[in-house]
């Protein structure tokens, strides 16, 4: 693995690491970061309101639709920091591996993080000509997927890989008004990776990706209704008021009409990075330059009736530049180090329009503009010392200075009661300046080369900011997070066919950016929270052709200091105490030319709160999702035909529960994709 900017094994990292291969993605028809949920114990990621990805590790993460927030569980694409939740909407394809790093990471990742990180590594070009192509069709919802790549050696020193993906899926929510299945989702992506090695000392890698995401219709639908008494709004009563007589509430269908204000989600983006490595004797000097730009436009119809009473439209644009330079000493020496400097510039903005019409309880239309610019400078040092063959110590530090300048304003487009709540105001230009020193300390004791005991402590931080749609602009600012993680564990490899990892951990976050969902939008409250428990993983091959993998995570995530609506000891929202997965991979030869592979997998979770318990949102119930892959293929992997079944027990698990804008009482949300069956053909050369 290379997430910590050095080549090392999972055993040698004094933290909990889960690594997924690119084959794991391809075998289960995974196409974006939004598909990662459940593949790693203790890691959750759902497509929340507004298409904002919400990753959590061990019960904590940035569960919010405040789009300006940075994720507490950060993402890195080929070492490039992804600054916003929408980055994970881009297609993820042709991967070499995915590394999930749990706990506070403060030194070498490229940007300090409070709760963990996910690192996506693209497949590099091979030295010989070759290609791979995967074509699949999903039968129940008529989805298609094509993914492939080709290695082209242009010379002895220059190798190129071209890769791409196309997929269309969705169609699992029945729109009873339009008599259609929604949403329809199309994803395109293309990538070029060029590897140039003109001398033994110089290696340069260029990665460029362009992609687009287009979704028509929406996955959210009404889950529970309000009473219609007092401030509680009844969607059923609103449906009757617009002449709708067939209204009912249930999972898997909606009544959105949007005749002139159709719903959609469209995003296109570009990502480029140049990594240059130069050998200075036994030392390596590395420069990584990155540029990212994407635009997104989306619109949601949030009244859930046959009329189009309230819509929420968002235009979002992001541009990022980063530069890192680091020097690494020889790793085999008794004392080694990585020292470097990092700069990030990010300009991001969002244009939001709310349009509400009677009989929706709040009416009017408004436009809220928000833009921010971030300049972040940091220097870092990681030291590793082997005191003896058995004892290894590590220490790291990162100092960061960050300036964040914002400007926002609000305009009334059509007066009404909604524009009294979201009152207009002239442009404001607040700013924040933050300085943080983050650090880590760890010790490892090697019982032998395959078994190690470790202990570590790390302090990490994340900057504060300003809310993107505050009802009161004077209360828009929120503070930055500070996290402290302690972890002790053992990584044991008693035989060449068995590995088992166990970690005990405790993470406390001061000024955790806690999302509170209200009818007047999402609000960030800084709170003190904690998660503690244990994290396990197992990989066992009892005999050739048979492998068992899995893990269980226990996470007790609680609020430590009370704030309005959350007494001390309240469980953190979207934080199940138990999560895990288990899979069996069985391979056998049917003949000299055909192998059979059977791979069942189960992902499970205990119940969790969708919002603060005081909000009264429906809880997500315990679940166990069952997938199965059955494949026939050549012994040399030149071809494979696979039947892939997902969510075979057809559990329509509630994923999110959100209060509609400007309406107390009801809740809407997403559900787990129902059972799907796909046939997939893969050829390689």
């Amino acid at each position: 693995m290379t997430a910590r900017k050095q080549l090392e094994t999972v055993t040698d990292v004094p933290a909990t690491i889960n690594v997924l291969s690119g084959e794991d993605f391809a075998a289960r028809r995974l196409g974006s970061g939004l598909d990662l949920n459940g593949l790693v114990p203790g890691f959750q990621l759902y497509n929340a309101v507004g298409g904002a990805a919400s990753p959590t590790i061990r019960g904590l993460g940035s569960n919010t639709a405040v789009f300006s927030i940075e994720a507490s569980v950060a993402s890195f694409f080929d070492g490039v920091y992804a600054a916003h939740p929408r980055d994970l909407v881009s297609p993820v394809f042709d991967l070499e591996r995915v590394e999930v790093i749990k706990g506070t990471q403060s030194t070498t990742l490229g940007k300090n993080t409070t709760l963990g990180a996910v690192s996506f590594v693209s497949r590099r070009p091979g030295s010989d000509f070759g290609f791979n192509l995967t074509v699949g069709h999903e039968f129940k919802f008529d989805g298609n997927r094509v993914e492939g790549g080709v290695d082209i050696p242009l010379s002895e020193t220059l190798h190129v890989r071209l890769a791409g993906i196309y997929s269309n899926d969705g169609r699992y929510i029945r729109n009873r008004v339009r008599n259609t299945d929604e949403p329809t989702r199309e994803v395109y992506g293309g990538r070029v990776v060029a590897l140039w090695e003109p001398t033994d000392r110089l290696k340069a890698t260029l990665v460029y990706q362009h992609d687009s995401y287009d979704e028509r219709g929406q996955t959210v639908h009404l889950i529970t209704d309000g009473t219609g008494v007092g401030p509680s709004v009844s969607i059923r009563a609103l449906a009757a008021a617009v002449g709708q007589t067939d209204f009912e509430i249930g999972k898997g269908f909606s009544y959105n009409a949007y005749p002139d204000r159709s719903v959609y989600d469209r995003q296109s983006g570009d990502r480029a990075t140049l990594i240059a490595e130069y050998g200075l004797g036994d030392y390596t000097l590395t420069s990584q330059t990155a540029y990212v730009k994407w635009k997104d436009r989306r619109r949601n119809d949030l009244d859930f009736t046959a009329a189009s009473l309230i819509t929420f439209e968002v235009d979002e644009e992001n541009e990022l530049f980063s530069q890192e330079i680091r020097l690494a000493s020889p790793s085999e020496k008794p004392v080694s180090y990585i020292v470097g400097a990092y700069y990030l510039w990010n300009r991001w903005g969002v244009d939001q329009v709310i349009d509400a019409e009677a009989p929706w309880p709040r009416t009017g239309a408004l436009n809220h503009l928000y833009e921010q610019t971030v300049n972040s400078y940091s220097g870092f040092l990681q030291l590793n010392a082997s005191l003896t063959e058995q004892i290894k110590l590590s220490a790291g530090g990162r100092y960061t200075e960050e300036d964040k300048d914002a400007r926002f304003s609000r305009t009334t487009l059509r007066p009404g009661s909604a524009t009294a709540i979201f009152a207009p105001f002239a442009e404001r230009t607040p700013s924040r300046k933050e300085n943080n020193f983050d650090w880590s300390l760890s010790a490892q004791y090697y019982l032998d080369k395959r078994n190690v005991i470790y202990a570590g402590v790390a302090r990490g931080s994340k900057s504060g900011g300003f809310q993107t749609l505050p009802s009161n602009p004077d209360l828009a600012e929120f503070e930055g997070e500070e996290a402290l993680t302690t972890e002790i564990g053992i990584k044991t490899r008693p035989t060449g066919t068995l590995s088992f990892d166990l970690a005990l951990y405790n993470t406390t976050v001061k000024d955790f950016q806690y999302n509170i969902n209200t009818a007047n939008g999402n609000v960030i409250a800084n709170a003190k929270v904690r998660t503690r428990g244990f994290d396990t993983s197992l990989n066992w091959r009892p005999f050739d052709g048979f492998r068992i993998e899995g893990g269980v995570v226990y996470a007790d995530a609680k609020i430590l200091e009370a704030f309005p609506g959350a007494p001390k000891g309240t469980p953190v929202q979207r934080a199940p105490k138990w999560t895990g997965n288990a899979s069996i991979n069985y391979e056998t030869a049917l003949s000299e030319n055909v192998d059979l592979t059977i791979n069942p997998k189960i992902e499970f979770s205990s119940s969790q709160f969708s919002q603060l318990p005081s909000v009264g949102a429906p809880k997500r119930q315990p679940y166990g999702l069952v997938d199965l892959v059955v494949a026939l293929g050549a012994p040399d992997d030149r071809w494979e035909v696979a039947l892939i079944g997902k969510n075979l027990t057809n559990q329509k698990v509630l994923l999110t529960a959100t209060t509609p804008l400007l309406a107390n009482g009801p809740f809407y949300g997403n559900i787990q994709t129902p059972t799907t069956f796909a046939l997939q053909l893969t050829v390689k050369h």
Side-chain angles (χ1 to χ4, degrees):
M1 60 166 289
T2 57
R4 300 200 313 161
K5 306 301 173 67
Q6 53 192 315
L7 185 61
E8 53 192 348
T9 67
V10 171
T11 305
D12 291 330
V13 180
T16 302
I17 310 288
N18 296 109
V19 179
L20 308 173
S21 70
E23 286 75 15
D24 292 331
F25 261 70
R28 297 190 182 277
R29 294 173 59 85
L30 305 180
S32 77
L34 298 177
D35 297 325
L36 275 174
N37 184 64
L39 286 184
V40 172
F43 178 85
Q44 294 191 111
L45 194 149
Y46 299 122
N47 189 356
V49 179
S54 297
T56 67
I57 285 179
R58 295 169 173 171
L60 296 181
S62 303
N63 296 314
T64 180
V66 175
F67 309 129
S68 61
I69 202 169
E70 296 180 49
S72 299
V73 177
S75 299
F76 296 86
F77 294 86
D78 291 304
V80 180
Y81 175 61
H84 297 281
R86 287 290 305 191
D87 281 280
L88 281 170
V89 174
S90 297
V92 179
F93 60 98
D94 199 48
L95 294 177
E96 185 174 310
R97 64 186 179 277
V98 179
E99 301 167 359
V100 181
I101 309 168
K102 299 176 181 177
T104 302
Q105 307 299 318
S106 56
T107 305
T108 58
L109 278 176
K111 189 78 161 65
N112 48 312
T113 72
T114 51
L115 297 172
V118 184
S119 174
F120 300 89
V121 181
S122 301
R123 186 172 170 180
R124 297 311 195 235
S127 56
D128 299 319
F129 176 82
F131 68 87
N132 62 283
L133 177 66
T134 298
V135 179
H137 178 74
E138 196 284 312
F139 297 96
K140 186 171 183 180
F141 301 111
D142 195 28
N144 297 291
R145 175 189 175 96
V146 180
E147 178 181 350
V150 57
D151 293 326
I152 306 173
L154 298 179
S155 70
E156 291 185 358
T157 60
L158 179 61
H159 304 86
V160 174
R161 180 169 178 81
L162 305 176
I165 187 174
Y166 166 78
S167 69
N168 64 69
D169 59 11
R171 306 180 184 89
Y172 60 90
I173 301 296
R174 184 65 179 174
N175 187 320
R176 293 183 173 179
V177 174
R178 300 172 67 86
N179 197 31
T180 59
D181 295 317
E182 298 178 345
T184 58
R185 185 184 300 118
E186 283 192 303
V187 174
Y188 301 85
R191 181 189 305 128
V192 55
V193 181
L195 177 62
W196 184 47
E197 297 183 88
T199 70
D200 293 339
R201 292 184 175 272
L202 177 62
K203 180 171 74 172
T205 305
L206 174 67
V207 183
Y208 169 71
Q209 176 175 320
H210 174 77
D211 52 64
S212 68
Y213 177 96
D214 192 325
E215 181 176 279
R216 307 294 181 93
Q218 59 189 34
T219 60
V220 294
H221 56 279
L222 194 64
I223 299 169
T224 61
D225 201 1
T227 62
V229 178
S232 180
V233 174
S234 169
I235 303 297
R236 184 182 300 275
L238 292 177
V242 298
Q244 183 178 347
T245 59
D246 62 345
F247 182 84
E248 63 176 311
I249 300 171
K251 294 179 180 179
F253 59 83
S254 70
Y255 294 99
N256 293 305
Y258 40 85
D260 58 346
R261 295 188 291 184
S262 62
V263 301
Y264 53 77
D265 186 340
R266 301 168 186 159
Q267 179 168 310
S268 63
D270 297 272
R271 179 183 293 112
T273 184
L274 175 63
I275 307 168
E277 301 170 84
Y278 186 73
L280 299 171
D282 292 334
Y283 294 76
T284 302
L285 179 66
T286 302
S287 168
Q288 178 156 7
T289 308
Y291 179 76
V292 178
K293 186 174 184 179
W294 51 257
K295 295 182 179 180
D296 173 66
R297 189 176 188 186
R298 54 191 184 270
R299 176 182 283 164
N300 292 98
D301 184 355
L302 298 179
D303 57 84
F304 308 103
T305 71
S308 188
L309 305 180
I310 180 169
T311 56
F312 184 36
E313 184 172 337
V314 176
D315 285 274
E316 192 173 349
E317 186 169 354
N318 178 61
E319 188 175 12
L320 179 146
F321 170 82
S322 67
Q323 175 65 55
E324 181 178 83
I325 297 176
R326 60 184 183 271
L327 178 68
S329 70
S331 59
E332 67 274 8
K333 300 290 186 180
V335 177
S336 64
Y337 63 84
I338 299 176
V339 61
Y342 178 79
Y343 170 70
L344 177 142
W345 172 86
N346 182 216
R347 182 175 62 198
W348 173 88
V350 61
D351 181 352
Q352 301 174 88
V353 174
I354 300 172
D355 190 347
E357 301 174 354
W360 197 251
R362 303 284 188 179
T363 61
L366 57 101
N367 181 203
H368 186 94
L369 295 172
Y370 180 96
E371 184 178 277
Q372 69 180 28
T373 302
V374 175
N375 283 278
S376 181
Y377 310 82
S378 63
F380 59 90
L381 172 65
Q382 175 73 36
L383 287 171
N384 303 309
S386 298
L387 302 185
T388 69
E389 290 186 358
Q390 292 179 299
I391 300 175
K392 181 179 179 180
L393 303 179
S394 298
R398 176 184 285 266
Y399 178 75
T400 303
E401 291 190 1
E402 185 164 297
D403 297 335
K404 183 172 290 183
D405 299 308
R407 64 182 183 93
F408 51 90
S409 62
R410 189 151 61 223
T411 305
T412 295
L413 302 178
R414 188 178 69 253
S417 55
T419 58
I421 296 173
F422 293 102
F425 59 86
E427 182 177 290
R428 302 194 178 199
T429 56
S431 63
R432 289 180 58 89
K433 295 182 181 295
E434 298 183 53
N435 303 308
N436 284 292
F437 178 70
D438 300 309
W439 50 267
S440 62
L441 297 170
S442 65
Q444 295 162 276
Y445 181 78
Y446 286 80
L447 303 172
D448 53 43
K449 292 183 179 180
R450 298 191 303 187
N451 301 280
V452 59
I453 300 171
Y454 69 91
V457 57
R459 190 263 193 195
S461 62
K462 186 183 74 168
S463 63
F466 306 94
Q467 307 195 48
T468 49
L469 187 62
S471 56
N472 183 350
D474 294 328
L475 304 177
E477 190 170 1
F478 55 87
E479 298 301 316
E481 292 181 355
E482 298 177 13
L484 185 70
T485 294
T486 56
E487 181 171 317
I488 60 173
I490 181 170
K491 299 184 179 185
T492 176
R493 313 293 186 261
T495 69
T497 60
L498 174 64
S499 66
F500 177 73
D501 297 349
L502 168 65
L504 306 178
Y505 67 88
N506 185 97
T507 298
T508 302
V509 187
K510 178 185 176 183
D511 288 327
F512 178 69
Q513 294 162 2
Y514 204 108
N515 178 70
I516 303 175
N517 175 237
T518 74
N520 297 336
N522 291 274
V523 178
I524 298 296
N526 287 112
K528 187 175 183 180
V529 300
R530 180 220 69 203
T531 182
R532 63 171 53 152
F534 61 82
D535 196 317
T536 69
S537 62
L538 169 74
N539 189 315
W540 182 34
R541 299 192 309 276
F543 53 86
D544 288 344
F546 190 82
R547 185 175 73 250
I548 299 174
E549 292 181 290
V552 175
V553 173
Y554 173 76
D556 184 18
K558 292 183 178 180
I559 296 171
L560 297 184
E561 294 180 356
F563 60 91
K568 179 180 178 181
T570 299
V572 173
Q573 69 189 56
R574 297 182 69 179
K577 285 193 173 183
W578 295 94
T579 57
N581 61 27
S583 68
I584 295 174
N585 193 86
Y586 175 68
E587 299 178 9
T588 187
L590 295 183
S591 69
E592 292 184 358
N593 299 316
V594 179
D595 287 348
L596 169 68
T597 300
I598 301 175
N599 180 206
K601 175 179 176 291
I602 182 170
E603 169 209 341
F604 60 88
S605 171
S606 60
S607 63
Q608 61 182 273
F609 289 99
S610 302
Q611 304 289 343
L612 285 172
S614 59
V615 174
K619 289 180 66 176
R620 200 188 72 177
Q621 298 303 310
Y623 69 85
L625 303 179
V626 179
D627 298 343
L628 176 64
V629 178
V630 179
L632 298 175
D636 59 3
D637 292 331
R638 290 296 182 94
W639 63 269
E640 181 185 78
V641 178
L643 180 63
I644 302 171
K646 303 180 71 171
N647 190 11
L648 296 182
T649 57
N650 199 33
Q651 295 199 36
K652 297 181 180 180
V653 182
L654 175 66
L655 300 180
T656 59
T658 304
T659 301
L661 195 61
L662 301 172
N664 285 303
F667 288 94
Y668 69 91
N670 302 75
I671 63 168
Q672 177 70 39
T673 305
T675 301
T676 61
F677 293 98
L679 188 64
Q680 182 170 280
L681 170 65
T682 299
V683 293
K684 300 178 183 179
H685 176 73

